[in-house]
Amino acid sequence: MRLPLIDEHRSDAGCGSGGCGCAGTSGAQPVASRPGMTRRSFLRTTAGATGGLAALAASLSPLRELTGDGFSMQQFLQKHYKEMTESDMNKALDRIRAQVEQRYELRPEIRDIKPLDGVEFVYALNLSRCIGCRKCVHACVAENNQSRDPEMQYIRVIEMPRGTTDIEQGDHHYDRPTVPDESHYYMPVQCHQCANPPCVKVCPVEATWQEADGIVVVDYDWCIGCRYCEAACPYWARRFNFTTPSIPRDKLNLNMSYLSNRPRPKGVMEKCHFCLHRTRQGRMPACLEVCPTGSRKFGNVLDPDSEVREVLRTKRVFVLKEDVGTLPRFFYYFDERDPLRNISVEGAGS
Amino acid sequence: MKDYTTFLFRCFRLSFQGDWRYYLWMLALTMIALVGLNAYAKQFVQGLATTGMTDQVSWGLYIANFTFLVGVAAAAAMMVIPVYIYRHKELHNLVIYGELLAVVAIVMCLLFIVVDMGRPDRAHHLLLRFNFPISILTWDVIALNGYLLLNLHICGYLIYCAYRRRPPSRAFYIPFVFIAIVWAISIHTVTAFLYAGLGGRPFWNSAVIAPRFLASAFAAGPAIIILTLQIIRRATGYLVSDGAIHTLRSIATIALSINMFLLGSELFTEFYTHSAHVVSAQYLFFGLHGHNALVPWIWTAIALNLGALVILFSPWRQRLPLLNLACVAMVVGIWIEKGMGLIVPAFIPSPLGEIVEYTPTRNEILVCLGILAFGALLYTIFVRITIPVLYGELTIDRAYHTDSASGQDRREHQHSGDHQ
């Protein structure tokens, strides 16, 4: 392998060599110019340039395997989500539909579902009831078309020893024949849809933002994959597609939406979006529906009669890492009704 | 305009001229750069799964090198300040090599960012939807590109003036020199704020990060320049006075001392308080629950930095071989401190307390080496062009002849040239 090391034999600039195309500038040369290029140096120059180009081509050869996954000219020119008109969005949806059809030979139902007026979603999770069965984890993967190989999960269930709320002491990879274990309690963590989301703040291109109903979404067609949001999240709620996600054809969920569970390309971020393609249409998130113990409560906190509102009012509620100031919309609580509510003690004044 | 294209063309040709050592060096660098390009092509096809990064440790060697090189770029200011603010004579003719180093370091920084991106094909989204001033990353985009342009202008203008054989007009570069000094501080401060601003990462969320970044950069940067200037002196015969080298040495000594002091304050705060925030530092310095991949690295770094400090304060610090040893130790020590010591441990344990260690893959290391080799290649070419131009061996009415370029001639010509 030769590289383009052109030995000019101390020849002057303006040699007219084929390899470098300098003929046009020789006019500016002084009269004391060298004699023209010798045959030998011409051969050397050519061989050097050819060898160099060959080496360059060889080093780029892995690009031949490029499949064009996640890349199309139309998508390249696509505008930011918030700047798209209705017809822009329809075109984008058509493109995604065609891509899914081409890849899976299945026709998806894909829409862009907007937030509802007067709705702010809130999640509440009952730590007294959760048994750590991880059914929510897998229902989420199935619902949201996450990559199966490697498997990506939005929900992480941590097995916590009783007597502490310090998650450093939890076990992420507990593997028991039966759950729950008597000496532990279980704490599922997913995106907290913070009202003050650090991930949104740090994104350099506004590829992630908070919607009117409080859900923090990602535009998979806008994300540049810098992973700054992943570093910023205190709840480890964000996931990156280190390679092209792979989903078996029979596992694909065909009920899709633009900002939630449509298939993602490699190199972009994704995260829990409270199943917005379901919840914005009056259904419950997949993780809630599958929960065998009823530990999960979800609803509109602006609705005074909602179940989540009742939980926030009557249970002992806390949020994870309150000190980082993210104002999560995901609450944990313990089941006991306030045992002190019917007791009153005199002398409570200071 | 035509003159300028001729100039560029002559520079291009000049970069292919040299003796066998030059060819060997350039051939080696080209090969390493191409191997790196090959590794990147693989990554481009398969995604960042070719690296050792995970959802837990989502930044690794690329961002570590990026951070280190931002420091190197900022350190060019450490040569400019003595010359333009304190009117230091001996460094005067050498400033341009510091600025060229800054240009090359920023180019490498930008490359490290590009290879770290999941979707480099969408880089133009930065132009279309720029989250400024909310995202500190957008500040960094402005700071780094602005610094690149400033230094390109200063170097390019001075070299082109020397080529045209006319004195540079002060109005065209002195204001930019002063802007660049402030800008140099800003690039490293903004880069530190990138990390320090994250409340979810207690290891980074500390006010000492930015001062420590600057202190370590102003130690490693001059150390690299000291080594580079000696290589230039040996390879080209360009007159580099020992006085200039020792000025840089004292800058590096002060900066390294401050860096070690700040490290001490950090360690005290972390370990004396011993709050829950100490876990990452615990992992870094002593290991956590049997995981201790970074422990040997950080102690090596501390040993190297302390060793360098001992040399720099010893009575033999004037001896160049010993000084060079200290410089190498400092550069390696600070490189480890920035990478294995600052970027990686902030991710371990994860915000949910999970310990996943990070080991860079072979492919990832090759990409890094490729970028570093490309940077060295670029710097060699810049120096290759700059020296003959500043000596008046390549001017508008005199194309370059290798015959005339002997080190002896240069030493004689040194003070007659009116560059800068």
Side-chain angles (χ1 to χ4, degrees), chain B residues 1-10 156 160 163-164:
Chain B
M1 197 62 215
K2 194 183 163 217
D3 285 348
Y4 194 68
T5 43
T6 310
F7 167 66
L8 288 182
F9 174 70
R10 285 178 175 180
Y160 190 56
Y163 172 79
R164 295 290 304 260

Side-chain angles (χ1 to χ4, degrees), chain B residues 377-394:
Chain B
L377 189 80
L378 211 56
Y379 191 69
T380 312
I381 292 175
F382 282 168
V383 171
R384 180 77 190 91
I385 291 166
T386 305
I387 289 177
V389 172
L390 292 188
Y391 274 115
E393 291 162 4
L394 171 66

Side-chain angles (χ1 to χ4, degrees), chain A residues 111-137:
Chain A
R111 290 153 298 166
D112 173 38
I113 308 167
K114 301 285 182 195
L116 303 167
D117 284 338
V119 173
E120 183 179 343
F121 288 123
V122 153
Y123 217 121
L125 196 141
N126 188 340
L127 291 174
S128 304
R129 277 180 173 249
C130 178
I131 54 168
C133 65
R134 293 196 179 113
K135 284 197 190 314
C136 51
V137 175

Side-chain angles (χ1 to χ4, degrees), chain B residues 9-314:
Chain B
F9 174 70
R10 285 178 175 180
C11 289
F12 175 76
R13 283 187 46 90
L14 190 54
S15 64
F16 285 100
Q17 288 170 271
D19 62 9
W20 64 272
R21 284 170 305 180
Y22 178 75
Y23 274 69
L24 195 66
W25 168 245
M26 296 301 267
L27 182 72
L29 290 179
T30 310
M31 286 203 303
I32 300 171
L34 286 177
V35 168
L37 184 66
N38 179 257
Y40 180 65
K42 282 180 198 154
Q43 180 191 306
F44 190 80
V45 172
Q46 292 165 37
L48 284 152
T50 53
T51 70
M53 290 185 272
T54 53
D55 277 319
Q56 285 83 2
V57 184
S58 51
W59 282 342
L61 218 47
Y62 296 155
I63 298 297
N65 277 303
F66 158 78
T67 311
F68 177 76
L69 288 167
V70 171
V72 173
M78 284 292 103
M79 293 188 73
V80 182
I81 290 172
V83 171
Y84 288 97
I85 296 184
Y86 297 108
R87 313 240 162 236
H88 190 289
K89 286 272 187 298
E90 282 181 285
L91 272 176
H92 192 271
N93 293 336
L94 304 174
V95 163
I96 199 152
Y97 300 103
E99 281 169 348
L100 287 172
L101 185 65
V103 169
V104 171
I106 295 285
V107 168
M108 286 191 277
C109 283
L110 297 177
L111 288 175
F112 273 115
I113 291 297
V114 169
V115 299
D116 189 65
M117 281 167 74
R119 305 294 311 197
D121 54 311
R122 296 181 184 168
H124 63 287
H125 289 181
L126 279 167
L127 302 173
L128 300 174
R129 197 91 192 180
F130 199 55
N131 191 11
F132 184 83
I134 306 294
S135 170
I136 293 297
L137 204 49
T138 58
W139 286 69
D140 221 19
V141 170
I142 295 172
L144 294 177
N145 287 297
Y147 193 63
L148 178 63
L149 292 179
L150 277 170
N151 281 295
L152 272 179
H153 166 73
I154 297 168
C155 301
Y157 180 70
L158 290 176
I159 294 172
Y160 190 56
C161 282
Y163 172 79
R164 295 290 304 260
R165 301 187 72 84
R166 64 181 186 208
S169 147
R170 291 177 69 81
F172 271 118
Y173 81 99
I174 293 293
F176 294 102
V177 167
F178 282 95
I179 296 172
I181 290 174
V182 181
W183 208 288
I185 312 280
S186 89
I187 60 168
H188 219 23
T189 308
V190 169
T191 305
F193 285 176
L194 212 62
Y195 308 112
L198 302 182
R201 303 274 171 195
F203 186 71
W204 286 339
N205 193 210
S206 148
V208 84
I209 295 279
R212 240 193 102 187
F213 266 35
L214 287 171
S216 60
F218 292 160
I224 290 180
I225 296 173
I226 289 173
L227 297 171
T228 314
L229 286 178
Q230 289 178 70
I231 295 170
I232 291 177
R233 175 160 73 180
R234 193 160 286 198
T236 69
Y238 193 87
L239 187 82
V240 176
S241 71
D242 280 355
I245 285 177
H246 289 299
T247 304
L248 290 169
R249 190 206 69 218
S250 41
I251 292 172
T253 309
I254 296 165
L256 188 62
S257 313
I258 297 175
N259 183 43
M260 296 314 275
F261 170 72
L262 293 176
L263 173 69
S265 341
E266 209 169 8
L267 291 180
F268 170 78
T269 318
E270 292 275 18
F271 287 101
Y272 187 81
T273 315
H274 215 84
S275 73
H277 287 174
V278 82
V279 279
S280 289
Q282 180 94 37
Y283 169 74
L284 174 62
F285 287 96
F286 304 108
L288 200 62
H289 308 307
H291 299 275
N292 44 23
L294 296 186
V295 175
W297 287 97
I298 194 67
W299 290 108
T300 309
I302 289 179
L304 287 170
N305 287 343
L306 283 177
L309 210 56
V310 168
I311 294 178
L312 290 175
F313 277 106
S314 74

